[in-house]
């Protein structure tokens, strides 16, 4: 297990019933492949967008996009990302919009997501936050789960969400203020100095230049303020499973939606360049589920098998072993502006 000079929490309990319910993801994989394959690939990048190193090597090709691993920071990135316009089109596509409605803007699971997924993350962030102001800005707030929990903990909240459907859902469902806005050089002055806590859950992996958005966020905040970031983590058992079966991916190394999967060192270095130090990190994930559901594509006999039923109640324990080896597929960091 790697040593860091900040607190590292490893592991988060998982809904063990999930394995029993649905191992079959072949339809979802086919849709993911069709979506990614028709997007025009861009020219090869020379330098790692996370740390600017020119030394990186190809890991695998997924649906025509090449993921490279950076020798400088240990992160993985799409080396032939689409042009900005093609990327924007991808986020307006039926594939993306429908997936978000099923996964997030869905009344039947939203309460579960608030209680089981977001409450522990927001409480971890508050526990390790150094901020004195009880104001919270969630950039890319989606359907508002994080805002709802932060509000419940007494924070004055504001969400920014460019997606109209999600922004409207958040405002209606949780009564939180959401603006269809985004952080950029042009909007920095509007938000400067107001937010003790800024969070970005599942944002940095989607933007072509994560250093630019961190530079803008850093310009908004002052010393002692808190920045909370959750991103896909690399390397992980999930990404190793996907590197073994690169034609069977529907999450994590799914291009061009995830342009980056960050190593904890890469994240630490990038935050440091923008004036932040990490107070605490939390590694957790769904790697065991990812691996066994991928194996299930090749061995459908696994579905409803005694083997699967026996493994199901052990999911959290099996994932905990992966987490304790720093091979989880997600990482959450709480950083302080210095
Ligand atoms: Zn790098």
């Amino acid at each position: 297990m790697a040593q860091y000079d900040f607190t590292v929490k490893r592991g988060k309990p998982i809904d063990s019933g999930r394995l029993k319910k649905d191992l079959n993801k072949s339809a979802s994989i086919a849709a993911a492949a069709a979506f990614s394959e028709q997007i025009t690939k861009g020219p090869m990048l020379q330098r790692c967008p996370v740390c600017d190193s020119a030394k990186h090597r190809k890991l695998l090709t997924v649906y025509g996009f090449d993921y490279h691993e950076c020798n400088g920071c240990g992160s993985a990135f799409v080396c032939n990302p689409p042009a900005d316009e093609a990327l924007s089109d991808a986020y307006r596509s039926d594939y993306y919009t429908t997936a978000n409605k099923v996964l997030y803007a869905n009344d039947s699971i939203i309460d579960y997501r608030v209680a089981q997924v977001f409450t522990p993350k927001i409480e971890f962030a508050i526990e390790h936050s150094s901020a004195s102001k009880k104001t919270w800005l969630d950039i890319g707030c989606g359907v508002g789960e994080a805002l709802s929990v932060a509000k419940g903990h007494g924070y004055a909240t504001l969400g920014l969400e460019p997606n109209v459907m999600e922004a409207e859902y958040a405002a209606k469902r949780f009564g939180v203020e959401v603006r269809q806005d985004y952080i950029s050089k042009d909007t920095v002055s509007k938000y400067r100095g107001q937010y003790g806590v800024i969070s970005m859950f599942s944002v940095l992996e989607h933007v072509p230049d994560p250093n630019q958005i961190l530079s803008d966020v850093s310009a908004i905040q002052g010393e002692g303020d808190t920045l909370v970031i959750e991103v896909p983590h690399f390397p992980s058992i999930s990404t190793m499973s996907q590197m073994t079966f690169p034609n069977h991916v529907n999450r994590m190394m799914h291009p061009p939606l995830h342009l980056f999967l960050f190593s904890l060192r890469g994240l630490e270095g990038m935050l440091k360049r923008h004036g932040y130090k990490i107070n605490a990190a939390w590694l957790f994930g769904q790697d065991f589920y990812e691996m066994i559901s991928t194996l299930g594509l090749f061995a459908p006999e696994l579905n409803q098998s005694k083997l699967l039923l026996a493994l199901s109640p052990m999911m959290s324990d099996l994932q905990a072993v992966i987490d304790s080896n720093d091979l989880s597929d997600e990482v959450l960091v709480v950083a302080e502006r210095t």
Side-chain angles (χ1 to χ4, degrees):
M1 183 184 297
Q3 297 296 311
Y4 297 96
D5 50 7
F6 45 81
T7 305
V8 181
K9 177 177 176 177
R10 294 171 173 91
K12 181 165 169 285
I14 294 165
D15 174 12
S16 62
R18 191 176 161 194
L19 202 51
K20 270 186 245 173
K21 269 180 268 164
D22 182 25
L23 197 60
N24 190 350
K25 60 180 180 182
S26 55
S28 163
I29 300 269
F35 162 76
S36 299
E37 277 161 359
Q38 50 83 30
I39 296 168
T40 307
K41 282 73 187 170
M44 283 289 174
L45 301 176
Q46 297 301 308
R47 293 179 172 276
C48 166
V50 177
C51 75
D52 207 38
S53 170
K55 290 190 178 154
H56 45 86
R57 61 186 183 87
K58 187 174 151 183
L59 287 173
L60 76 165
T61 303
V62 184
Y63 312 139
F65 287 100
D66 291 345
Y67 279 97
H68 281 217
E69 178 176 10
C70 175
N71 292 4
C73 72
S75 298
F77 62 95
V78 173
C79 203
N80 54 344
D84 288 353
E85 190 139 323
L87 194 60
S88 302
D89 287 347
Y91 284 104
R92 282 192 292 265
S93 66
D94 284 348
Y95 171 81
Y96 187 75
T97 310
T98 306
N100 271 15
K101 273 188 186 152
V102 173
L103 289 172
Y104 308 124
N106 179 338
D107 286 335
S108 65
I109 57 166
I110 189 89
D111 290 336
Y112 173 85
R113 283 182 54 78
V114 168
Q116 301 299 319
V117 180
F118 276 88
T119 297
K121 293 178 188 177
I122 300 298
E123 289 178 349
F124 180 78
I126 293 171
E127 184 188 343
H128 295 284
S129 168
S130 48
S132 48
K133 292 191 285 286
K134 287 204 85 174
T135 45
W136 193 303
L137 178 68
D138 190 27
I139 299 172
C141 69
V143 297
E145 304 102 321
L147 292 172
S148 152
V149 182
K151 188 180 158 194
H153 280 80
Y155 285 79
T157 63
L158 175 66
L160 303 184
E161 176 52 60
N163 182 291
V164 180
M165 181 273 290
E166 293 183 55
E168 286 175 353
Y169 186 96
K172 193 170 163 220
R173 176 83 196 196
F174 299 115
V176 289
E177 186 185 353
V178 179
R179 293 185 198 159
Q180 282 159 36
D181 199 2
Y182 206 66
I183 292 295
S184 69
K185 276 196 273 302
D186 304 328
T187 59
V188 159
S189 59
K190 258 197 286 186
Y191 301 105
R192 183 175 283 141
Q194 298 177 53
Y195 293 95
V197 182
I198 294 181
S199 55
M200 291 190 279
F201 293 96
S202 308
V203 171
L204 287 188
E205 67 270 35
H206 298 281
V207 300
D209 187 356
N211 276 289
Q212 182 59 54
I213 188 164
L214 284 181
S215 165
D216 294 336
V217 165
S218 180
I220 293 174
Q221 292 198 296
E223 195 178 334
D225 287 343
T226 295
L227 176 61
V228 183
I229 289 173
E230 184 185 357
V231 286
H233 176 246
F234 182 86
S236 70
I237 293 295
S238 284
T239 57
M240 288 174 198
S241 170
Q242 298 181 342
M243 281 152 63
T244 312
F245 305 106
N247 298 316
H248 300 84
V249 175
N250 68 346
R251 58 186 286 276
M252 288 300 152
M253 284 186 145
H254 183 197
L257 300 180
H258 287 181
L259 295 170
F260 303 97
L261 297 96
F262 296 87
S263 73
L264 191 42
R265 292 276 182 224
L267 206 49
E268 185 185 23
M270 189 167 61
L271 283 164
K272 195 176 171 191
R273 277 199 298 288
H274 297 286
Y276 291 91
K277 72 172 176 72
I278 295 179
N279 287 345
W282 188 3
L283 287 159
F284 55 89
Q286 303 195 42
D287 302 84
F288 185 78
Y289 176 82
E290 174 69 24
M291 183 190 69
I292 198 133
S293 62
T294 302
L295 292 176
L297 292 167
F298 302 92
E301 300 87 344
L302 268 174
N303 272 300
Q304 311 296 324
S305 65
K306 273 210 164 79
L307 171 62
L308 201 60
L309 286 175
L311 288 172
S312 194
M314 300 177 204
M315 279 262 282
S316 281
D317 292 339
L318 294 163
Q319 181 66 38
V321 175
I322 293 170
D323 297 332
S324 70
N325 283 280
D326 292 356
L327 290 171
S328 325
D329 63 23
E330 283 281 319
V331 63
L332 175 71
V333 299
V334 185
E336 177 179 341
R337 183 78 156 77
T338 54

